[in-house]
Amino acid sequence: MSLKPNLLIKVLASIASFGIIVGAIYATMTWAAGQADETAIQRQDSLVRLVVSKMQERIAHDQESATVWDDAVRKVREGDREWIDANLGSWMHTYFGHDAAFVIGPANDLIYGYSDVDTDPEKAYSTVSLKVRELIEDLRERLATGDTSGLSRTMLSIGETDIVSINGSPAIVSIKPIVSDSGEIQDVAGKQPLHIALRYLDADFAQSLGADYLFAEMQFAWAREDVERRYFPLAARDRTAMGYLSWKPFLPGTAVLQATKPAMILGTVLVAGALAGLVVLLQGRADRLRKSQGELYYLAHHDPLSGLPNRAAFKAEVEKTLATSEAAVLFLDLDRFKQINDTLGHPVGDRLIVDVAARLKSAVSAGAMVARIGGDEFTVLVPASKSVDVEQLAEQLIAAIRQPFEIDGQPILIGLSIGIAFSSPGNSEARDILRRADIALYSAKSTGRNRYVIFGAHMEEMAKTRRDLEQDLRAALDSRTQIEVHYQPVYAAENSHLIGVEALARWRHPIKGLIQPDVFISIAEDAGLIDRLGEQILQTALADAKKWPSLSVAVNASAVELRSDTYALRVAAALERANFDPSRLEIEITESAVLGNEDACRRNINSLRQLGVGFALDDFGTGFSSFGRLQQLDVDRIKIDRCFVAAYGTENNNGIVQAMISLAHAKGLKITAEGIETNEQKAWLCALGCDDLQGYLLCKPVLPEMISDMYNRLRAVNSQK
Ligand code: C2E
Ligand code: CA
Ligand code: CA
């Protein structure tokens, strides 16, 4: 498992703080252990001191068992060496373990001597006497002065004791006078015989001391040489050092500490491990939580298809930006995206959106934000601080989208319209700038696609005008007097005879005057008025055309109308009511009408065709997949769009038109060329084999009275024939 650096830091920090706590506990324990050890050592020292002094006392006490005794006084006076040996000498060695015993007379002369280290008592005493002379003198003086200090029920006679070094070995020496126990025998004070007992503080002594009082490895040492050991200094009364009793001190604190150490280390490791595990676990949980929060946040703020920020995120960003600075907002809308989606399917549409998003993103510099706010609607936010030339950016975006896309090997061409709005110092409302960009986009789309439009104050006016017009159109439809129909004649190519008319709607607004269909058809579509409008136009056209029985009449149908389930029914009813020959009526539809709701469209077309109504595909060549569409649609005619006519003579164009015509002919369709403005165009289209011709060159749309005049003149000519 590899830890992320910050997680590692957290784990280490937790372990470190745990370590500090453990360290503090350990330090406290060590301190307490030290205190316990210290107390224990002091006790052991006191014990040794006590034992040594008790030993001195005991030797004195041992001596008194024989020195305070009438017999002893007597036998010493007599010089009974045997008796002395049995009671004051070797006996004391066997019985009390004394190492040497000497009895000296009033002049400190050796009366008796015993030593278990030296077979020659004289020599032994000569060594000892040097060390104990002062003690002897002291004692005799005290005896002479009748000093009785220190006497008690258990201490019957005064004495002197000290620790002396004999031949390099420390020894307890105790001196007692040999006195009468009954008081019957008296010596001269200070001149009593003395008994000197010696007990070496040697290995033997140390060992038995250790065994008796449970000191570990108790031994005699000349110097302090081992820090682990305890040393009790043996010293004479005059403080002369005599070496040490040394033992391994019993350290209860350390012992406890040592005993608990493994458990403590194990516990520490376990707790640290558990702690680290816990931190990793919690961190993992926090990470997951943060991640899922992040994912939720991402989902709430991003468009899942393109990965771009969504509408909500964009709006929030605009608000944020406008709070501190000026900015430009671009509204982008793909031209003809709906058609692609409908013809090639949603999966292709989705992939196109993804590709478009990628291109937009790479065209927009860092610092600007691209968002997808709807099906084929994108937005760009450019903060003023980025000092981006917004118009140049708009051009770049359009150019980027204009480049053909390729999906599944199929080239796809689409366009882009852009509306731009700049924030103004007085107005930092996000809602306002978004609305303005939207209005500008609308303007861009309605004034021709693949372009950008910057919001101007007049557009707000336009938007208002549009709302006003919508109201006025409602009133116009109610009044049934304002909607007029003009007619543009259609001529046979072969002989230029008038053969039909195309009905084109006009709105005679009571105040604004004549309004063109380009303006009000889309308003009617948006406002849901197109069905009523279409019906009025159809009724008017049928009524007018009744006067021109030999002419066909073409009526334009809006895409919105054609998708309605009741369209065919309404047309049939109008034909019925006007008692009009259905075969004289031709309905012009555009490709986009058929897209999206093909079933409803086809049903409308088929049922009307069964009545004899003809259908023409208008604006042919501008749609998305014109040729493909021809296979599926049951139409009688195509109308070559006037942009192809206007482009007469330019490269490629003539070939395309020629191809369209031969294809249509091959399928048995009639062909009308519309928008003919020059004789060259007319001659060219005639030569290519167009059936019918239409255009300003031949005749502009005119009032029905004009058509009546033309029709009557035609009849006059014909009847003359
Ligand atoms: P459209 O169906 O393609 O109609 C032909 C348009 O081309 C007409 O414009 C006509 O005046 C114009 N035109 C004809 N010859 C020439 C020419 O030689 N040069 C030029 N530059 N233009 C020419 P109009 O009447 O303004 O209609 C515009 C569009 O409005 C129509 O295009 C049609 O799509 C729609 N429209 C017109 N009347 C109706 C209607 O009653 N119902 C529906 N749904 N749409 C209508
Ligand atoms: Ca038309
Ligand atoms: Ca047309």
Side-chain angles (χ1 to χ4, degrees), residues 332-335 337-338 353 372 374-378 445:
L332 284 59
D333 188 290
L334 298 179
D335 299 333
F337 175 73
K338 195 175 169 354
I353 287 294
R372 180 179 177 221
D376 63 342
E377 295 169 333
F378 295 85
K445 289 188 84 103

Side-chain angles (χ1 to χ4, degrees), residues 138-214:
D138 282 356
L139 182 59
R140 287 203 186 283
E141 207 175 302
R142 283 177 65 204
L143 287 167
T145 55
D147 182 4
T148 55
S149 59
L151 292 186
S152 66
R153 238 162 24 87
T154 51
M155 194 55 79
L156 305 171
S157 60
I158 60 169
E160 291 292 333
T161 177
D162 197 1
I163 297 174
V164 294
S165 169
I166 310 289
N167 289 331
S169 296
I172 293 172
V173 62
S174 177
I175 308 173
K176 286 278 182 182
I178 299 173
V179 290
S180 157
D181 58 333
S182 62
E184 287 171 7
I185 312 166
Q186 286 294 334
D187 276 308
V188 181
K191 294 292 175 192
Q192 293 96 328
L194 300 179
H195 181 266
I196 301 167
L198 231 108
R199 174 82 161 91
Y200 285 105
L201 298 176
D202 53 9
D204 254 15
F205 168 78
Q207 228 159 35
S208 65
L209 181 68
D212 291 352
Y213 296 91
L214 299 174

Side-chain angles (χ1 to χ4, degrees), residues 388-457:
V388 169
D389 184 334
V390 176
E391 289 192 52
Q392 203 179 314
L393 173 65
E395 274 165 16
Q396 283 165 1
L397 292 174
I398 290 169
I401 299 306
R402 251 191 162 155
Q403 294 295 314
F405 289 85
E406 199 187 298
I407 291 172
D408 289 341
Q410 180 171 4
I412 295 178
L413 281 165
I414 48 168
L416 182 69
S417 300
I418 301 179
I420 304 173
F422 292 93
S423 68
S424 49
N427 189 348
S428 57
E429 281 284 326
R431 206 162 35 107
D432 278 348
I433 191 169
L434 296 179
R435 189 175 53 84
R436 288 174 180 181
D438 197 17
I439 291 172
L441 173 64
Y442 178 80
S443 165
K445 289 188 84 103
S446 58
T447 49
R449 285 138 196 274
N450 257 325
R451 53 179 292 173
Y452 71 87
V453 167
I454 297 172
F455 175 85

Side-chain angles (χ1 to χ4, degrees), residues 51-253:
V51 167
V52 171
S53 79
K54 279 277 175 224
M55 182 64 75
Q56 286 176 274
E57 244 174 64
R58 208 176 78 196
I59 293 170
H61 202 72
D62 295 343
Q63 288 173 290
E64 281 187 346
S65 64
T67 54
V68 184
W69 191 11
D70 289 354
D71 286 358
V73 180
R74 252 183 248 118
K75 293 291 179 187
V76 169
R77 278 186 190 170
E78 290 165 10
D80 185 345
R81 287 187 56 86
E82 206 173 321
W83 189 94
I84 294 172
D85 183 57
N87 292 282
L88 295 169
S90 57
W91 179 81
M92 287 219 181
H93 167 68
T94 17
Y95 201 78
F96 299 117
H98 297 180
D99 293 309
F102 303 99
V103 177
I104 55 174
N108 295 343
D109 47 310
L110 182 69
I111 296 169
Y112 167 83
Y114 164 83
S115 169
D116 70 341
V117 290
D118 206 332
T119 45
D120 180 3
E122 299 265 346
K123 196 173 146 233
Y125 179 67
S126 66
T127 320
V128 172
S129 66
L130 288 175
K131 306 282 177 172
V132 301
R133 183 172 300 145
E134 255 175 66
L135 288 178
I136 293 171
E137 277 167 16
D138 282 356
L139 182 59
R140 287 203 186 283
E141 207 175 302
R142 283 177 65 204
L143 287 167
T145 55
D147 182 4
T148 55
S149 59
L151 292 186
S152 66
R153 238 162 24 87
T154 51
M155 194 55 79
L156 305 171
S157 60
I158 60 169
E160 291 292 333
T161 177
D162 197 1
I163 297 174
V164 294
S165 169
I166 310 289
N167 289 331
S169 296
I172 293 172
V173 62
S174 177
I175 308 173
K176 286 278 182 182
I178 299 173
V179 290
S180 157
D181 58 333
S182 62
E184 287 171 7
I185 312 166
Q186 286 294 334
D187 276 308
V188 181
K191 294 292 175 192
Q192 293 96 328
L194 300 179
H195 181 266
I196 301 167
L198 231 108
R199 174 82 161 91
Y200 285 105
L201 298 176
D202 53 9
D204 254 15
F205 168 78
Q207 228 159 35
S208 65
L209 181 68
D212 291 352
Y213 296 91
L214 299 174
F215 287 94
E217 297 173 32
M218 178 67 95
Q219 56 191 230
F220 178 80
W222 275 111
R224 297 171 185 266
E225 45 205 5
D226 187 348
V227 288
E228 300 272 281
R229 299 181 68 87
R230 193 71 198 160
Y231 291 87
F232 179 82
L234 297 170
R237 286 205 302 209
D238 62 1
R239 304 216 175 281
T240 319
M242 299 293 167
Y244 304 87
L245 281 173
S246 159
W247 70 98
K248 230 185 174 111
F250 170 56
L251 303 171

Side-chain angles (χ1 to χ4, degrees), residues 488 502 505-506 517-518 537 556 558 618-619 642 675 677 696 701:
Q488 184 176 35
E502 178 181 1
R506 301 288 183 265
D518 286 336
I537 295 162
N556 293 284
S558 149
D618 205 355
D619 303 341
R642 65 175 182 269
E677 294 184 352
Y696 288 174

Side-chain angles (χ1 to χ4, degrees), residues 246-308:
S246 159
W247 70 98
K248 230 185 174 111
F250 170 56
L251 303 171
T254 305
V256 168
L257 211 58
Q258 292 293 340
T260 51
K261 207 177 220 167
M264 198 155 146
I265 290 172
L266 188 70
T268 305
V269 168
L270 285 181
V271 172
L275 200 68
L278 195 69
V279 169
V280 170
L281 199 78
L282 288 178
Q283 180 72 27
R285 191 168 296 171
D287 279 351
R288 276 198 298 284
L289 195 67
R290 207 173 306 126
K291 204 174 143 221
S292 66
Q293 275 173 345
E295 275 163 6
L296 283 179
Y297 179 88
Y298 186 88
L299 283 179
H301 293 80
H302 286 82
D303 157 42
L305 178 61
S306 65
L308 292 177

